[in-house]
Amino acid sequence: MKSLFEHFEILEDPRDIRGKKHELTNILIMTIYGILCGYTDFVNIADFLSVYEEYFINLLNLENGIPSHDTFSNVFRNIDSKKFMEIFIY
């Protein structure tokens, strides 16, 4: 059985390599955590993740801490949403 990481690795990361401080799969997984905990916007998801920063840094080996709400917003604005939903539902 594939892990969540393996499922999302096939999703193309449309971000420019310059300034990319966070892995796409980590951003997706943190967003899913936030949504499952009842948060519906990126500001609140980022705030929730910051409260549990130590847990997520250890869980996902985050080198640059928790992404900002702007990072979450930019990622979800630019990824292929149909492909994301296909992977998520699968």
Side-chain angles (χ1 to χ4, degrees), residues 79-90:
I79 63 171
D80 181 341
S81 59
K82 289 181 183 178
K83 187 69 174 172
F84 171 79
M85 286 305 295
E86 286 175 17
I87 296 167
F88 185 73
I89 291 171
Y90 178 73

Side-chain angles (χ1 to χ4, degrees), residues 49-77:
L49 294 167
S50 293
V51 169
Y52 298 100
E53 184 171 12
E54 186 176 335
Y55 171 79
F56 287 102
I57 286 173
N58 292 326
L59 177 69
L60 302 172
N61 297 318
L62 301 176
E63 295 177 9
N64 296 303
I66 301 296
S68 70
H69 69 277
D70 289 328
T71 299
F72 286 103
S73 181
N74 290 337
V75 165
F76 277 88
R77 183 179 11 223

